[in-house]
Amino acid sequence: MITIFLCKLTDGEWRRVERHHTTRGFASMFEATEFAEALNAKTWERFDWIKEPVEAYLAIRD
C-alpha cells in the first residue's frame, strides 16, 4: 500500500509526522509521488528551506 505522509527533516533523517488522508488509491509509486509533489507545490512557498525543521509530503510504500 502506498500512503502520503507529511514528514519533517530532523537531524538529516525524514520522520513521519502525520498521514495525509485521501480517498484516492495509488496504482504506482510514480502516481503517488506526483500527488505528493502537487501537495508540496501548494505549500512550499511558505517554507524557509534554510531553517529546520523542513517539511514535505512524501509517498511511502508500507
Side-chain angles (χ1 to χ4, degrees):
M1 176 152 107
I2 303 169
T3 309
I4 307 297
F5 285 92
L6 176 63
C7 299
K8 283 188 178 184
L9 183 64
T10 308
D11 297 326
E13 186 174 324
W14 286 103
R15 300 186 189 275
R16 297 176 191 185
V17 175
E18 66 185 42
R19 181 177 175 220
H20 178 76
H21 296 282
T22 180
T23 58
R24 262 183 96 155
F26 300 103
S28 68
M29 197 63 175
F30 176 78
E31 182 183 354
T33 300
E34 282 193 333
F35 184 86
E37 287 177 355
L39 289 173
N40 288 326
K42 292 178 185 177
T43 57
W44 275 352
E45 64 189 21
R46 73 175 182 214
F47 294 141
D48 182 351
W49 288 96
I50 295 173
K51 296 179 182 177
E52 283 200 43
V54 175
E55 296 178 332
Y57 288 98
L58 302 176
I60 299 173
R61 184 181 305 270
D62 284 334

